[in-house]
């Protein structure tokens, strides 16, 4: 996996102009969000990208569609909630796996982790198969 934030993988960015342009564009939006609403941040970045002819004019040609896609598909709070939820679930599964390996009762594991008993039992089957 590669980090394509502005300050990472500069060599790769220099070799691939569309990637470089995309990174410049998204970095502009992220920088704008520090002082603007998401709508204003996107509007300003789209205008800037058009002036810079980023992505060989694609943004300029598809301005309305680009704005709409960015504004309707990006919900930072929902993304963060999803990442947190995924991390919490992963943590619960890891805890349950460790407890199963130490032979804790499945009902206790369910109660402690908050995972449904059925899920703990399924996890127990997977561990048994792997052993």
């Amino acid at each position: 996996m590669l980090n394509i934030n502005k300050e990472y993988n500069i060599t790769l960015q220099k070799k691939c102009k569309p990637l470089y342009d995309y990174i410049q564009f998204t970095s502009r939006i992220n920088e704008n969000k520090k002082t603007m609403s998401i709508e204003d941040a996107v509007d300003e970045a789209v205008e800037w990208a058009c002036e810079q002819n980023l992505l060989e004019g694609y943004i300029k040609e598809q301005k309305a569609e680009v704005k709409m896609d960015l504004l309707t598909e990006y919900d930072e709070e929902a993304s963060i909630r999803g990442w947190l939820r995924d991390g919490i679930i992963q943590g619960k599964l890891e805890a349950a796996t460790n407890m199963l390996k130490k032979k804790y009762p499945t009902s206790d594991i369910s109660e402690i982790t908050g995972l449904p008993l059925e899920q703990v039992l399924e996890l127990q089957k997977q561990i048994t198969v792997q052993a």
Side-chain angles (χ1 to χ4, degrees), residues 9-67:
N9 293 298
I10 306 299
T11 304
L12 178 62
Q13 291 181 41
K14 289 179 180 177
K15 290 182 180 179
C16 182
K17 183 163 177 4
L19 176 62
Y20 174 82
D21 287 355
Y22 173 79
I23 291 169
Q24 297 305 306
F25 177 58
T26 56
S27 294
R28 184 76 176 216
I29 293 171
N30 287 330
E31 192 61 34
N32 286 346
K33 286 188 335 184
K34 294 176 182 175
T35 60
M36 301 177 188
S37 69
I38 185 69
E39 292 84 6
D40 290 342
V42 168
D43 284 340
E44 191 283 332
V46 166
E47 293 304 319
W48 175 81
C50 291
E51 292 168 9
Q52 302 297 313
N53 199 34
L54 294 184
L55 296 171
E56 297 180 0
Y58 175 81
I59 294 173
K60 187 174 189 175
E61 293 168 10
Q62 304 294 326
K63 187 189 287 191
E65 184 179 343
V66 168
K67 284 182 183 181

Side-chain angles (χ1 to χ4, degrees), residues 86-102 109 113 115 119-120 123 127:
D86 292 347
I88 290 168
I89 291 169
Q90 185 62 35
K92 288 179 176 186
L93 291 171
E94 288 174 14
T97 299
N98 290 334
M99 287 187 272
L100 284 166
K101 288 178 180 177
K102 292 182 179 187
I109 295 171
T113 63
L115 293 171
Q119 192 171 12
V120 174
L123 192 57
I127 291 170

Side-chain angles (χ1 to χ4, degrees), residues 110-122:
S110 175
E111 186 178 330
I112 291 167
T113 63
L115 293 171
L117 182 58
E118 297 78 24
Q119 192 171 12
V120 174
L121 293 170
E122 183 60 37

